[in-house]
Each structure stands twice: as structure tokens, then as C-alpha cells.
């Protein structure tokens, strides 16, 4: 007999008839011999209606009172679903977040779960009851027992956290669509279902705007090894399994806030190739990486900085043994990129750098926590380590540093993030070009956890050799780009910049540091660009402009008319043609790439906002992700 946690969203319980349909599905699952906890959201658009009522009373309602108000929506649903189950002859009991024992931070409207007291839950489960739980809510552990809500996606978070606390066999998330799709079906009607995907891939997609699962829920699943399945509320289709490695010995205390970083990794077998002053026009990246792919050169990190005048820089890292081959490719293509009217100009210069290392922090606890990256940069600055390149993703922040400073950087990061013990092993770091050099991972997780006998994972793994290199394509139209010109190129600058943003609770996504270095008044300087949520753009610019002169920075520039299109897939590793194919798809549609940033399993390009949807559709088609059946998303 399996212990299963099921979660049903607002549309799944949007009417009496739908609640009765959910009750029928739950009853059928129990009759098959399973124990069940059901987590539900408020009915339909109840929450929207409650927010509207509050706004009619006050233009800026008190957050505590908003939590008190919004938590009532789920209470209606749990009572009705419990009644519906009892009408079917199934013993059931409804429980609020406080009654279940979900203890959170004392942060209204955005609380994180600290722990779940499961004694009462377990007692009812053992008595044969279905426990129907109000999602999205908990109670603070302060003496006042304040009702708190978890913010957007809170019911997903509640369900996966309960599954982790109970050691459930798996957690089922029921939604409007048949599972995780290759892209947004409202933008690409031919988006197809993904049978299985890793938590790391899902974290990237969820954070890029795929709204089927909230990143916090995936983070908990990854950290505690909870198998997830996303299924349609309207059919019995198998849905999409989200798989995770089983971490060893992770405490259920401080469930959402403990240890944001699990590992410190490094790779000393790297070198950097940079093309400076390449033309800022469509097709340049496609041409360069197309040739790199044809020459079978495996690339790890790729960055393209913001343009300066009519040109920008593209840099990439490779393993040391193939540096000469990468250099030859870059040197051969550079003349073709130069200005034909002035072939002797200094455009498209090739710059090589040996003796570099990549140092990374990894962990699913970094999501939505701007202080983690800032802490990394501050730690490196305090250790006197200068950062040459930065690459960010939802599960990793990597910095390229001087190889001679690698050991000092790793030791400092291990101390700062309290990474102790753990075995040291070797690892090839790879990206959209493949296997990098030998690096050692500090603290490792175990292999893929064994799936439940009820799940199909024993015969289907997204990490199998036959897996496609790209699992999904995402478009984010809600970002803005900030650029700071002429930042002094010395240890501590990134720490100051991103520390300031963290203090103002502004999360940063892509970070690009230019390769060109100018000496002004005897001080070497570089540009740095990064993306933030569009709603934070103006306030971030104003705040940074105020301190720019004091810190010796140049102009702060904001561009809100951007779109970020990304591909995600663990199968990119070892396949140098993936980046080239993405860039070529954009070039064929005359879409200019403004910025490029990569991680091991993601490539992101910033393009003009008006070209975002076209870029998504072009890339989705280029990787052959379209299916034969159209997915209809309910209104």
C-alpha cells in the first residue's frame, strides 16, 4: 500500500460538480489500497475575488489581514471536499494549515515552511481517513500563532512539503494540462507532453515561467527526493514524472530555509577563448558556434556581453587539451567577421586565456534568495579572488577565476556555506558543448532514487542516452536588463553590486561581465549587465544610480523592452551542436541576440521584446519538439 499526496488546483475544484469529480477520483485511489492526503486550493477564482474585496476597502491592505482573509478560500474547499467524500462512504477530515501543523516563518504573504508536525496527520491516516488539507497556508511558530500564507504557488509547496515530511511514496499534482509540456501551448499549439524530466530541468523551466509547477515545490522535491507526477484533472493519462536524486541525511527542520548550498565544485582544466568586437547583428553567434560544432569542439560556458557601439564580445570556455583546436576555429572565423570596408581594422580580435578555473556553488535552495549569489561574490572578494566570468542558473552559480586562486576560493566558499565532510570525487563539467575538465565535487548526493512501484520510472529516465538534448523551451517576457558601464575590475566590485541588490530584496537572473577591459585613469574597467524582474527595474536603477559615483561606477542603463528565450535539457552535455542549432534558428529569422548566458543544462538568449514569441516558436521548431496533437488549455 502506498501513501500518496494529491494536490488539486483552483480550476479542478471550481464548482460543486468538479469537487464531486475530485472526490470520485480520490475514492477510487483509496479503494485501490492506498492511503491519501489531499491538498486543495481555493475554488476557481475565489482568491482573486477576495483580493478585489480587500482593494475595495483599502488601496494598500495590511498584509496580516490579507493572510487572514485569503486563508479562508481554502477552508471552503476542504470542508466541501470532505463532505463529498463522506457522501461516498469514505471517512475524511478537513484540516487547515495550522491544524495540520505547518509551521512557517513569521512573514505574511510570503512565508517559507520551517517544519511540519505530522503526529495528528499520521493518526488520522492510520485510522483510515482521507485527510483534506488547506494548501497555501500555515502558522508562525511565534506565541501569537499568526496565520500565514506561502505566496504564489503555495498549494504546490504545501503538497510537496507534506509529502517530504510524511515520507510519501510520491506526490501527484493535478492541473489543467496533461503534464509538463515542451513549451507554453498558448504560444505553440503543437507543444507536446514530456514523459519524464529531472528536478534540475524542471527547476530551470519553472523559474523561466512554466507555470505548471512552482519552483519552490520543485526545490523541496529535489532536496528531499520526493517523486512528483503532474497529471490532468480531467483524464487518467499518466502525465509527467519529475525525478530527483535522494539526498543523504537532510533534516526536516527548517525545511525551506536550511542550507541553500549543498556543494562547492571546481574545475581547473579550463581555458577561455574570447572574440572581441564582433559585429552586433543576426547570425554571428550561429556562424561561430556552427563552425565550433563542425570541428567537434566541446564548449562549457558561453557568454555574450551587451553591445558597445556596433559590436560586442563573445567568450567561451573549453577544456585545456582542445584549446588549440578552439583557438584555430576562432582565429579562422575572425577575419570573416571583420568590417569588409576596412579589413585592417582591429575588429574581431581573438583573446586566449590559460590558467583559469571554474568555481561553483550548487543547490536548489538558491531560488528567489538574492543573498546567496551576493554571499558567494563577497566571499571571493574577502579572499582576494577576482572574478573574470559569471554564469548563473537556478541550481548553480559559477565564477571563472585565476587557476592559482582556485584552492583559496574553494576553501573560502566551503567555510562560508558550511560545506563540511563529504567525499571528493572527479567530475567533468559540461555544458552545451559537452564534457569539461576534471573537477572535484565537495559533498555528493546519491544516484537517482528508486521509483515507486506505481511509477513508470524504472523503464523511463530523462537521463537515458536516447533522451533528446533539449526537453523544453521557455520564454520570459517579464524581465528588464540593467547595465553598469566602466565598473572597476578588481575584487569586491561584484560583491558590492549584488550585495546592494540583495539588501533591497531584488533577485537577479542572468549576469554577464564584458570581456573587454579599458584602463581609465589608471584603473582597469569592465561593463557588467544583469537581468531582474521588470517590476524591480526602475527601483534597481534608481538605487544603483545613487551610489554609482560614490563607488566609482559609470552610467547605469535600463532596458525594459527585452525578452529572454531559453532551452533546457540535461542531454546537452557532450553535444556541441546544441548551441549552434539554437543560434542558427534565431539567425534564420533575423533575430539579433543581445546577450547569451549558459549553465550545464540551460542556454538563454536575450532578444528584443517584440521578437520574443517568434524566437520561442523558431527554437521549438528547430529542435523538433512539436507533437502531432494540439493541447487545449481550459480558459
Amino acid at each position: 500500500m502506498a501513501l500518496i499526496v494529491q494536490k488539486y488546483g483552483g480550476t479542478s475544484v471550481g464548482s460543486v460538480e468538479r469537487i464531486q469529480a475530485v472526490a470520485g477520483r480520490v475514492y477510487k485511489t483509496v479503494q485501490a489500497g492506498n492511503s491519501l492526503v489531499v491538498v486543495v486550493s481555493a475554488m476557481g477564482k475565489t482568491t482573486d475575488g477576495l483580493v478585489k474585496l480587500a482593494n475595495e476597502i483599502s488601496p494598500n491592505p495590511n498584509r496580516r489581514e490579507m493572510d487572514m482573509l485569503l486563508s479562508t478560500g481554502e477552508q471552503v474547499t476542504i470542508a466541501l471536499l470532505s463532505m463529498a467524500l463522506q457522501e461516498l462512504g469514505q471517512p475524511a477530515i478537513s484540516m487547515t494549515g495550522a491544524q495540520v501543523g505547518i509551521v512557517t516563518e513569521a512573514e505574511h504573504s510570503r512565508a517559507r515552511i520551517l517544519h511540519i508536525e505530522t503526529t495528528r496527520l499520521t493518526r488520522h491516516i492510520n485510522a483510515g481517513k482521507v485527510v483534506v488539507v488547506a494548501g497555501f497556508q500555515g502558522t508562525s511558530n511565534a506565541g501569537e500563532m499568526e496565520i500565514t500564507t506561502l505566496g504564489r504557488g503555495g498549494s504546490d509547496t504545501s503538497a510537496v512539503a507534506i509529502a517530504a515530511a510524511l515520507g510519501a511514496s510520491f506526490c501527484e499534482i493535478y492541473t489543467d494540462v496533461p503534464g509538463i509540456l515542451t513549451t507554453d501551448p498558448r504560444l505553440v499549439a503543437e507543444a507536446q507532453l514530456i514523459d519524464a524530466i529531472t528536478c534540475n530541468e524542471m527547476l530551470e523551466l519553472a523559474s523561466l515561467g512554466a507555470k505548471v509547477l512552482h519552483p519552490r515545490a520543485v526545490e523541496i522535491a529535489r532536496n528531499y527526493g520526493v517523486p512528483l507526477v503532474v497529471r490532468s484533472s480531467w483524464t487518467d493519462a499518466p502525465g509527467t514524472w519529475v525525478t530527483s536524486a535522494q539526498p543523504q541525511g537532510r533534516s526536516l527542520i527548517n525545511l525551506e530555509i536550511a542550507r541553500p548550498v549543498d556543494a562547492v565544485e571546481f574545475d581547473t582544466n579550463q581555458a577561455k577563448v574570447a572574440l572581441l568586437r564582433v559585429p552586433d547583428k543576426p547570425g554571428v553567434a550561429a556562424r561561430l558556434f556552427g563552425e565550433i560544432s563542425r570541428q567537434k569542439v566541446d564548449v562549457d560556458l558561453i557568454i555574450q556581453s551587451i553591445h558597445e557601439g556596433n559590436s560586442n564580445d563573445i567568450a567561451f570556455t573549453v577544456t585545456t587539451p582542445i584549446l588549440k583546436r578552439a583557438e584555430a576555429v576562432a582565429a579562422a572565423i575572425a577575419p570573416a567577421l571583420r568590417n569588409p570596408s576596412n579589413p585592417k581594422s582591429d575588429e574581431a580580435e581573438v583573446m586566449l586565456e590559460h590558467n583559469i578555473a571554474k568555481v561553483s556553488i550548487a543547490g536548489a535552495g538558491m531560488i528567489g534568495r538574492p543573498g546567496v549569489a551576493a554571499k558567494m561574490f563577497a566571499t571571493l572578494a574577502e579572499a582576494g579572488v577576482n572574478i573574470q566570468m559569471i554564469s548563473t542558473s537556478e541550481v548553480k552559480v559559477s565564477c571563472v577565476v585565476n587557476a592559482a586562486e582556485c584552492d583559496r576560493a574553494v576553501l573560502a566558499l566551503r567555510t562560508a556555506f558550511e560545506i563540511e565532510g563529504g567525499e571528493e570525487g572527479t567530475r567533468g563539467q559540461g555544458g552545451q558543448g559537452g564534457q569539461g575538465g576534471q573537477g572535484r565535487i565537495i559533498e555528493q548526493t546519491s544516484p537517482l532514487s528508486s521509483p515507486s512501484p506505481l511509477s513508470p520510472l524504472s523503464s523511463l529516465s530523462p537521463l537515458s542516452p536516447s533522451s533528446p538534448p533539449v526537453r523544453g523551451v521557455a520564454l520570459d517576457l517579464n524581465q528588464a536588463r540593467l547595465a553598469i558601464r566602466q565598473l572597476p575590475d578588481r575584487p569586491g566590485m561584484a560583491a558590492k553590486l549584488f550585495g546592494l541588490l540583495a539588501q533591497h530584496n531584488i533577485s537577479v537572473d542572468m549576469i554577464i561581465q564584458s570581456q573587454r577591459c579599458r584602463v581609465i585613469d589608471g584603473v582597469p574597467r569592465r561593463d557588467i549587465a544583469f537581468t531582474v524582474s521588470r517590476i524591480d527595474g526602475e527601483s534597481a536603477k534608481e538605487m544603483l544610480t545613487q551610489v554609482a559615483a560614490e563607488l566609482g561606477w559609470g552610467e547605469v542603463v535600463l532596458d525594459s523592452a527585452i525578452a529572454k528565450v531559453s532551452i533546457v535539457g540535461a542531454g546537452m552535455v557532450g553535444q556541441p551542436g546544441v548551441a549552434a542549432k539554437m543560434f542558427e534558428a534565431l539567425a534564420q529569422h533575423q533575430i539579433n541576440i543581445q546577450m547569451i548566458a549558459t549553465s550545464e543544462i540551460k542556454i538563454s538568449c536575450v532578444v528584443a521584446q517584440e521578437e520574443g514569441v517568434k524566437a520561442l516558436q523558431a527554437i521549438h521548431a528547430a529542435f523538433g519538439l512539436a507533437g502531432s496533437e494540439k493541447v487545449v488549455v481550459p480558459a
Side-chain angles (χ1 to χ4, degrees):
M1 179 171 65
L3 171 58
I4 303 170
V5 176
Q6 293 183 342
K7 178 263 175 178
Y8 293 90
T11 54
S12 301
V13 291
S15 65
V16 168
E17 292 75 19
R18 289 183 178 179
I19 288 174
Q20 289 171 329
V22 167
R25 185 186 289 269
V26 171
Y27 181 72
K28 182 179 176 181
T29 305
V30 175
Q31 291 300 108
N34 302 297
S35 298
L36 221 61
V37 174
V38 181
V39 178
V40 292
S41 300
M43 293 175 64
K45 297 188 179 299
T46 297
T47 301
D48 292 341
L50 293 173
V51 170
K52 183 179 178 182
L53 285 174
N55 289 334
E56 289 175 1
I57 296 290
S58 168
N60 186 26
N62 179 276
R63 282 169 53 189
R64 178 194 182 275
E65 303 309 329
M66 283 300 293
D67 276 3
M68 186 68 73
L69 174 66
L70 297 183
S71 65
T72 63
E74 280 72 20
Q75 289 178 229
V76 173
T77 316
I78 59 174
L80 293 175
L81 180 55
S82 185
M83 292 175 192
L85 286 165
Q86 291 165 8
E87 284 298 305
L88 294 175
Q90 171 58 49
I93 184 169
S94 62
M95 298 176 72
T96 65
Q99 290 173 317
V100 166
I102 298 177
V103 179
T104 75
E105 302 169 302
E107 283 282 344
H108 289 294
S109 78
R110 58 186 182 202
R112 289 181 179 267
I113 297 172
L114 298 179
H115 66 271
I116 300 176
E117 176 51 63
T118 59
T119 304
R120 191 174 181 186
L121 258 177
T122 303
R123 185 172 73 248
H124 287 305
I125 292 168
N126 290 340
K129 296 178 183 176
V130 170
V131 183
V132 185
V133 179
F136 177 65
Q137 63 182 248
T139 183
S140 71
N141 61 352
E144 290 83 1
M145 295 289 289
E146 290 289 298
I147 292 175
T148 55
T149 63
L150 308 183
R152 191 175 71 83
S155 292
D156 285 357
T157 305
S158 300
V160 181
I162 289 171
L166 290 173
S169 302
F170 53 90
C171 178
E172 296 179 319
I173 306 291
Y174 285 91
T175 183
D176 291 341
V177 292
I180 308 300
L181 301 173
T182 51
T183 195
D184 187 340
R186 290 165 296 191
L187 300 177
V188 181
E190 298 78 17
Q192 64 177 326
L193 181 69
I194 302 171
D195 295 321
I197 191 170
T198 65
C199 267
N200 280 358
E201 291 171 316
M202 191 64 239
L203 274 172
E204 299 288 6
L205 287 172
S207 299
L208 290 166
K211 298 177 181 177
V212 177
L213 274 176
H214 194 273
R216 279 173 63 187
V218 185
E219 174 188 341
I220 297 169
R222 179 188 187 272
N223 285 340
Y224 293 93
V226 178
L228 281 178
V229 60
V230 180
R231 304 178 63 186
S232 170
S233 299
W234 320 111
T235 72
D236 292 323
T240 302
W241 284 88
V242 184
T243 66
S244 56
Q246 180 66 55
Q248 298 177 3
R250 193 176 185 100
S251 173
L252 286 162
I253 302 299
N254 291 331
L255 189 145
E256 275 202 278
I257 66 171
R259 208 173 70 193
V261 174
D262 291 322
V264 176
E265 305 170 5
F266 67 90
D267 180 356
T268 57
N269 193 21
Q270 292 219 336
K272 180 173 69 177
V273 180
L275 270 75
L276 308 184
R277 295 178 291 276
V278 298
D280 182 35
K281 63 182 182 182
V284 171
R287 191 168 183 178
L288 171 60
F289 289 97
E291 187 58 33
I292 285 173
S293 173
R294 285 187 286 276
Q295 297 300 324
K296 301 291 191 282
V297 174
D298 285 349
V299 174
D300 186 2
L301 300 180
I302 303 172
I303 68 165
Q304 178 181 302
S305 60
I306 54 170
H307 67 86
E308 187 170 339
N310 295 318
S311 68
N312 50 31
D313 307 333
I314 299 178
F316 56 93
T317 60
V318 296
T319 57
T320 305
I322 63 170
L323 175 60
K324 288 191 179 299
R325 195 150 32 113
E327 177 189 1
V329 172
I333 200 170
L337 298 177
R338 291 178 183 141
N339 189 339
S341 63
N342 186 12
K344 294 183 179 181
S345 69
D346 62 350
E347 293 177 358
E349 174 190 353
V350 179
M351 181 177 72
L352 303 179
E353 189 157 354
H354 302 259
N355 302 318
I356 64 169
K358 182 174 71 171
V359 181
S360 309
I361 56 172
M366 296 189 274
I367 297 168
R369 300 185 206 183
V372 176
K375 184 176 180 179
M376 180 187 192
F377 302 150
T379 299
L380 294 177
E382 289 166 8
V385 177
N386 197 35
I387 299 170
Q388 300 180 25
M389 293 172 70
I390 299 170
S391 170
T392 58
S393 77
E394 292 306 317
V395 294
K396 186 174 289 190
V397 180
S398 298
C399 294
V400 171
V401 302
N402 189 297
E405 299 174 330
C406 180
D407 288 346
R408 188 162 79 247
V410 170
L411 180 61
L413 291 171
R414 286 189 66 187
T415 301
F417 289 104
E418 300 178 353
I419 304 296
E420 299 177 356
E423 298 180 2
E424 292 189 355
T426 60
R427 178 185 181 194
Q429 303 281 9
Q432 28 305 322
Q435 293 303 113
Q438 297 299 308
R440 284 171 285 171
I441 299 182
I442 313 301
E443 190 161 311
Q444 297 175 318
T445 56
S446 62
L448 193 67
S449 57
S450 300
S452 158
L454 297 180
S455 79
L457 296 184
S458 55
S459 60
L460 178 62
S461 168
L463 296 178
S464 65
S466 59
S467 294
V470 175
R471 310 307 307 279
V473 185
L475 175 66
D476 190 342
L477 293 169
N478 297 309
Q479 292 207 344
R481 178 179 61 220
L482 283 152
I484 300 178
R485 301 289 189 182
Q486 301 174 10
L487 202 73
D489 184 30
R490 59 173 178 253
M493 282 295 102
K496 286 181 180 176
L497 168 57
F498 295 104
L500 280 168
L501 293 167
Q503 288 171 23
H504 289 77
N505 202 33
I506 296 174
S507 293
V508 176
D509 185 14
M510 296 171 68
I511 303 173
I512 304 292
Q513 188 169 262
S514 70
Q515 295 305 296
R516 259 179 274 189
C517 188
R518 282 194 173 82
V519 177
I520 301 174
D521 297 329
V523 178
R525 297 174 180 272
R526 298 180 191 271
D527 297 340
I528 193 164
F530 53 92
T531 58
V532 299
S533 173
R534 186 170 294 162
I535 61 173
D536 291 328
E538 288 290 350
S539 59
K541 179 188 177 184
E542 182 179 348
M543 182 265 293
L544 295 174
T545 300
Q546 289 173 355
V547 300
E550 175 190 344
L551 296 173
W553 301 346
E555 182 186 11
V556 180
V557 182
L558 173 67
D559 184 357
S560 297
I562 65 165
K564 184 181 73 173
V565 62
S566 307
I567 57 175
V568 173
M572 293 182 190
V573 177
Q575 300 199 39
V578 175
K581 182 179 285 190
M582 179 183 189
F583 303 152
E584 179 60 30
L586 296 175
Q588 287 178 356
H589 288 78
Q590 290 298 300
I591 298 172
N592 194 36
I593 300 172
Q594 299 180 16
M595 292 170 65
I596 301 170
T598 69
S599 69
E600 277 88 344
I601 64 171
K602 178 178 72 174
I603 308 175
S604 295
C605 294
V606 169
V607 301
Q609 182 180 16
E610 65 269 17
E611 296 184 316
V613 173
K614 183 170 68 170
L616 174 78
Q617 294 168 341
I619 294 168
H620 192 269
F623 285 99
L625 297 178
S628 56
E629 297 182 5
K630 293 188 177 182
V631 176
V632 178
V633 180

